[in-house]
Amino acid sequence: MTIKTSIKITVSASALALTAAAASAESWDMPMAYAATNFHSEMGVVFADKVRDYTGGDIDITVHAGGSLFKGGEIKRAVQTGQAPIGERFMSAHANEAPLLGWDNLPFVATTYADNEKLWHAAKDKVNGQLGDLNLVALYTCPWPGQGFYFKKEVNSSDDTQGIKFRSYNTATATFAEELGMIPVQIEAAELSQALATGVAEAFISSGSTGYDRKVWEHLTHYYKVNAWLPRNYVMVNKQVWEGLSAQTQGQVQKAADETGAACSAKSEELANWYFEQLAGNGMDVTDAGPAFLAELQEIGTKMTADWLEAAGDDGKAILDAYNAH
Ligand code: PCA
């Protein structure tokens, strides 16, 4: 072989390699539901960067935060049907369709990050099975800080909550509101400021994180740090899209997901108190719930856990048994 021919072969081989790379490179739009500056969304960008890096550019994810590509309530369906290959959503928002997915909304069951992680390990296999039935594969999950109540007045018991218009984010929070004599209305976090400004809602349950993102001190005055549960967001991929990837690419994406999930959880824990400081710094009264209110919440919580166990059946019971056994 002459030198000239060998150069020619090398050139055409690398041209081929380039064509192959171009053909296998995929661009994925990733709708996310929460504010671009929220840690969940920032971690979505970290994940996209890692995936690009670990797959050598084969998968190029573009994050669309704040419900800008699909609204929060539309993201799961978009991924299930393949309109979007990947997306992020609040897991328990799907509990009306699949009760098991409310595993992380059980009041006062797992109220620290360590316990929440333990509960996730107890739930993981069952949850993944359920998501598989919905044509989804979960890549990573990440907890919000603990959930407490926002009001525009001091609240000491359910005597003070009657008739209040309450923004709920899933069926469990709607039930909670009704038990307290409030009127639930389901609203996405992205529309929360608007709902408070127009009086469509005048109270809600959430973490300090969402109160901070939505500057709710412009409308509300009190936050009670009940720490009732730490619900999770998850990043999901369409099952066929996932199965269409090579084992090697799946491994690379999963490595990115495992690292991002751990970093996101650590970030959530690191920020939890910082959010309270921001609410207080902007004039809100941030305190623990008083004993009478807390006792009522705990009683409602016990009933809600019993209801969930009934709805989620044997799989739900297996999750709680596994959690309590450790
Ligand atoms: N923020 C989200 C879900 C839980 C949370 O802390 C919200 O309020 O919609």
Side-chain angles (χ1 to χ4, degrees):
M1 189 188 284
T2 64
I3 291 176
K4 216 172 155 191
T5 334
S6 105
I7 289 173
K8 218 168 145 191
I9 289 169
T10 316
V11 168
S12 58
S14 61
L16 258 180
L18 266 178
T19 320
S24 67
E26 295 190 34
S27 290
W28 287 2
D29 285 315
M30 176 159 132
M32 298 185 78
Y34 301 92
T37 51
N38 182 273
F39 70 93
H40 285 288
S41 307
E42 288 177 350
M43 283 293 164
V45 174
V46 167
F47 172 66
D49 289 344
K50 282 181 186 285
V51 168
R52 204 174 296 112
D53 185 12
Y54 297 165
T55 64
D58 279 355
I59 298 182
D60 186 13
I61 298 177
T62 305
V63 168
H64 303 268
S68 58
L69 188 61
F70 290 96
K71 287 195 164 53
E74 299 167 349
I75 292 174
K76 176 176 79 60
R77 197 168 161 69
V79 179
Q80 277 179 299
T81 57
Q83 283 174 281
I86 190 168
E88 173 241 33
R89 178 61 173 155
F90 188 54
M91 192 182 283
S92 61
H94 316 323
N96 53 339
E97 176 182 346
L100 194 78
L101 299 179
W103 66 275
D104 59 352
N105 271 230
L106 305 176
F108 306 109
V109 168
T111 59
T112 63
Y113 281 86
D115 281 351
N116 180 266
E117 187 62 20
K118 226 173 77 176
L119 183 58
W120 169 236
H121 280 282
K124 199 174 176 176
D125 290 347
K126 308 260 184 240
V127 167
N128 285 339
Q130 174 69 79
L131 292 173
D133 291 346
L134 297 173
N135 205 37
L136 299 168
V137 175
L139 292 180
Y140 72 86
T141 69
C142 176
W144 289 93
Q147 305 292 290
F149 286 92
Y150 289 88
F151 291 109
K152 58 179 188 187
K153 62 175 185 179
E154 187 180 325
V155 167
N156 292 310
S157 75
S158 59
D159 288 346
D160 302 321
T161 57
Q162 300 304 311
I164 288 180
K165 286 180 266 174
F166 184 88
R167 174 263 176 173
S168 59
Y169 55 56
N170 59 14
T171 36
T173 47
T175 304
F176 223 128
E178 281 164 355
E179 293 286 336
L180 288 166
M182 299 193 280
I183 304 154
V185 46
Q186 190 155 333
I187 293 164
E188 283 301 315
E191 271 106 50
L192 181 56
S193 311
Q194 171 86 354
L196 295 171
T198 55
V200 168
E202 46 191 356
F204 65 104
I205 187 171
S206 195
S207 58
S209 179
T210 292
Y212 171 75
D213 287 345
R214 296 296 154 204
K215 296 188 169 56
V216 301
W217 51 80
E218 290 175 359
H219 311 288
L220 306 179
T221 51
H222 289 72
Y223 184 70
Y224 294 100
K225 301 189 276 182
V226 176
N227 203 29
W229 59 77
L230 285 71
R232 291 198 175 210
N233 282 2
Y234 71 120
V235 168
M236 69 195 95
V237 64
N238 174 283
K239 204 170 165 185
Q240 283 77 43
V241 169
W242 181 249
E243 285 168 356
L245 300 178
S246 69
Q248 190 195 12
T249 306
Q250 285 182 351
Q252 292 159 340
V253 174
Q254 194 58 59
K255 173 172 148 67
D258 291 347
E259 290 174 5
T260 310
C264 185
S265 186
K267 194 69 186 170
S268 177
E269 185 164 11
E270 180 193 318
L271 288 173
N273 277 322
W274 183 85
Y275 287 128
F276 292 150
E277 287 163 18
Q278 305 314 303
L279 298 180
N282 281 286
M284 292 193 78
D285 202 342
V286 180
T287 57
D288 289 329
F293 191 37
L294 193 58
E296 283 183 296
L297 299 178
Q298 279 166 338
E299 200 183 318
I300 297 169
T302 304
K303 183 173 171 297
M304 283 173 58
T305 299
D307 288 350
W308 179 78
L309 274 171
E310 210 174 301
D314 291 346
D315 283 348
K317 185 173 173 335
I319 291 173
L320 272 193
D321 287 350
Y323 172 67
N324 288 325
H326 285 90

